[in-house]
Amino acid sequence: MAFVSTFSQFCLFFTFLISSSIAQTTSFTPKALVLPVTKDSATGQYTTQLSQRTPLFAIKLTVDLGGQYLWVDCDQNFTSSTFRPAECNSEVCNLAEYRVCGGGFCSLYPYNPITNTATIGQLAQDVVSLQSTDGSNPGSIVIAQRVLFTCGSTSLLEGLANGVKGMAGLGRGPIGLASQLSSAFSFSRKFAICLGEMGVIFFGDGPYNFLPDNNVSQSLIYTPLFINPISAPGSFFPREKSIEYFIGVKNIKIDEEPVSINSTLLNFFDKEGNGGTKISTINPYTMMERSIYKAFTSAFAKALSGVPRVSPFAPFDVCFNSSHLGVTRVGPAVPTIDFVLQSPTDYWRIFGGNAMVQVKEDVLCLGFVDGGLNPGASIVIGIHQIENNLLEFDLARSRLGFTSTLYFQRTTCSNFNLTSNA
Ligand SMILES: *[C@@H]1O[C@H](CO)[C@@H](O)[C@H](O)[C@H]1NC(C)=O
Ligand SMILES: *[C@@H]1O[C@H](CO)[C@@H](O)[C@H](O)[C@H]1NC(C)=O
Ligand SMILES: *[C@@H]1O[C@H](CO)[C@@H](O)[C@H](O)[C@H]1NC(C)=O
Ligand SMILES: *[C@@H]1O[C@H](CO)[C@@H](O)[C@H](O)[C@H]1NC(C)=O
Ligand SMILES: *[C@@H]1O[C@H](CO)[C@@H](O)[C@H](O)[C@H]1NC(C)=O
């Protein structure tokens, strides 16, 4: 997989453009910000809340790791004395690859990946407020004066959790929320997500301290992030530059034994940008291209052949009678799954709690799904596999830091102390 070395230069350029057009006026300068996250039980989506506009108005948003930017429904109840539409041919308008101009104003195409729909909507700037953090608690509220976002429509909210009014796009592009907040407050171009029943998103530098007294920053393992040079597979717009987060999985091991898979599929292998491994907060379970899925599930079933199998339970194919499985601190006692990265000693290990899904009282299924023959990315690491793992996306250094399961450290993503110490 070819690493695109010009990425840092590309980003420096955009950071410069953005810092000149977003100002923050809070006297206190935060080192980092924090957003609390909740899992919506009906949809499984991760939602967060931030305040926008003047007067400030709290908006609930679905978190989209691979989304381009913040978009909100401007059709209903949008009033703000600080709303500023972006003009055609302005610096900020020209940052977006897909844009249209009308009446002198710039519009983009906000996208909902759950229904795979987009609408046209004005690009604009407005005040956004959220809480700072010292890494252990939320602190003072800070305000960024001109955060870019796009106006979605009410119809674009279809498929999103109840009460949600838009999406928080954390993609690596120039108008992603992470790039904008780091330029507004001049902190590192970095963010971290830690998702569970509850969870948190940090913007800026760590530490990341969870109760009872765990400095999770100490256990991060790093691996390069890759840019799909051609397009984001499955993206709505053809040839859109990849703003999603890809990692270089080289092979998969089960109980340290390699699974035999076609390694070509793990690279970006064709002119459409198919292939590779990306991380998503939209897919509920890790999805694999069919041949990888078949090899993976049969190797896992073989490694656990001593445990009675039971009938498949859609969307899963490999299910076991859980009364025959032990339980450990890190979940059901099943074979370990390793996504092997840049060298055989660098791997993301998945334990029982992130591998298995309880579907009935005595039935546990392997929580991975068949992506079919042409899924775009060959592996999409989904929500169930990243829960209670902290993932740090360092855009400046183009690397991912990951912890593996926090259960080993006797904490979870729900254990961030949300009591403000401001
Ligand atoms: C608009 O705001 C009013 C008053 O706060 C509220 O009653 C109404 O439900 C809101 N409408 C929508 C669609 O959010
Ligand atoms: C947490 O760990 C990081 C990395 O080892 C270290 O730099 C930092 O000082 C620690 N912070 C706290 C509050 O213990
Ligand atoms: C591996 O996958 C690539 C891409 O789909 C395909 O062209 C190639 O024939 C496959 N190789 C084998 C041995 O199946
Ligand atoms: C699981 O195994 C137990 C004990 O052998 C048995 O009583 C139970 O019916 C089994 N459940 C299923 C779903 O097969
Ligand atoms: C959470 O933080 C608050 C404010 O610093 C502190 O008073 C409280 O003791 C903390 N909670 C726990 C469980 O440590």
Side-chain angles (χ1 to χ4, degrees), residues 261-267 269-270 274 289 291 373-374 378:
I261 55 183
N262 178 349
S263 58
T264 304
L265 296 170
L266 299 176
N267 302 325
F269 64 81
D270 66 11
N274 288 304
E289 180 277 337
S291 71
L373 288 172
N374 295 299
S378 297

Side-chain angles (χ1 to χ4, degrees), residues 263-285:
S263 58
T264 304
L265 296 170
L266 299 176
N267 302 325
F268 302 127
F269 64 81
D270 66 11
K271 291 199 171 71
E272 276 75 55
N274 288 304
T277 300
K278 73 175 183 185
I279 306 173
S280 161
T281 58
I282 298 298
N283 289 56
Y285 305 100

Side-chain angles (χ1 to χ4, degrees), residues 33-328:
L33 309 174
V34 66
L35 279 178
V37 175
T38 311
K39 186 170 184 168
D40 177 68
S41 55
T43 59
Q45 290 164 23
Y46 283 104
T47 65
T48 189
Q49 192 165 298
L50 53 73
S51 294
Q52 193 199 32
R53 312 167 198 175
T54 306
L56 286 169
F57 182 80
I59 332 166
K60 190 170 159 187
L61 304 160
T62 291
V63 176
D64 182 9
L65 181 66
Q68 300 190 75
Y69 39 66
L70 169 68
W71 66 260
V72 304
D73 174 14
C74 299
D75 288 353
Q76 296 195 55
N77 279 0
F78 198 106
T79 49
S80 176
S81 61
T82 42
F83 176 86
R84 301 170 162 224
E87 286 175 18
C88 276
N89 304 317
S90 59
E91 280 175 2
V92 290
C93 179
N94 292 342
L95 292 175
E97 193 177 352
Y98 286 87
R99 55 179 188 269
V100 284
C101 277
F105 294 109
C106 181
S107 288
L108 310 183
Y109 295 92
Y111 171 59
N112 174 340
I114 289 157
T115 51
N116 196 31
T117 48
T119 55
I120 189 166
Q122 219 166 33
L123 175 67
Q125 292 176 305
D126 210 333
V127 168
V128 161
S129 105
L130 60 176
Q131 280 179 300
S132 62
T133 182
D134 59 0
S136 300
N137 294 83
S140 323
I141 290 170
V142 296
I143 288 181
Q145 293 293 340
R146 295 201 288 271
V147 174
L148 282 159
F149 70 102
T150 300
C151 277
S153 59
T154 305
S155 64
L156 199 58
L157 300 174
E158 200 186 312
L160 301 184
N162 192 27
V164 162
K165 299 292 179 212
M167 299 190 86
L170 299 174
R172 68 196 306 170
I175 45 184
L177 217 39
S179 294
Q180 290 202 66
L181 292 173
S182 65
S183 12
F185 297 106
S186 311
F187 53 57
S188 303
R189 253 168 6 91
K190 194 189 265 193
F191 68 98
I193 59 174
C194 195
L195 306 175
E197 283 314 308
M198 310 256 287
V200 272
I201 300 174
F202 299 99
F203 295 99
D205 275 314
Y208 314 116
N209 290 312
F210 289 75
L211 294 171
D213 184 23
N214 286 304
N215 181 355
V216 164
S217 343
Q218 275 159 345
S219 58
L220 290 171
I221 301 167
Y222 295 98
T223 193
L225 285 168
F226 291 90
I227 293 184
N228 187 330
I230 299 150
S231 74
S235 72
F236 194 80
F237 305 105
R239 299 181 316 280
E240 183 176 50
K241 281 204 188 68
S242 170
I243 45 149
E244 297 177 285
Y245 298 99
F246 284 87
I247 55 171
V249 172
K250 292 266 173 43
N251 67 56
I252 303 173
K253 289 183 178 173
I254 291 174
D255 263 351
E256 308 199 16
E257 287 296 320
V259 178
S260 170
I261 55 183
N262 178 349
S263 58
T264 304
L265 296 170
L266 299 176
N267 302 325
F268 302 127
F269 64 81
D270 66 11
K271 291 199 171 71
E272 276 75 55
N274 288 304
T277 300
K278 73 175 183 185
I279 306 173
S280 161
T281 58
I282 298 298
N283 289 56
Y285 305 100
T286 295
M287 186 213 75
M288 293 169 160
E289 180 277 337
R290 179 158 300 158
S291 71
I292 301 176
Y293 177 78
K294 295 240 185 270
F296 170 76
T297 49
S298 64
F300 189 90
K302 201 170 151 213
L304 202 52
S305 57
V307 175
R309 288 271 294 271
V310 299
S311 319
F313 190 97
F316 310 118
D317 289 309
V318 176
C319 299
F320 301 90
N321 183 328
S322 60
S323 60
H324 294 253
L325 277 168
V327 180
T328 70

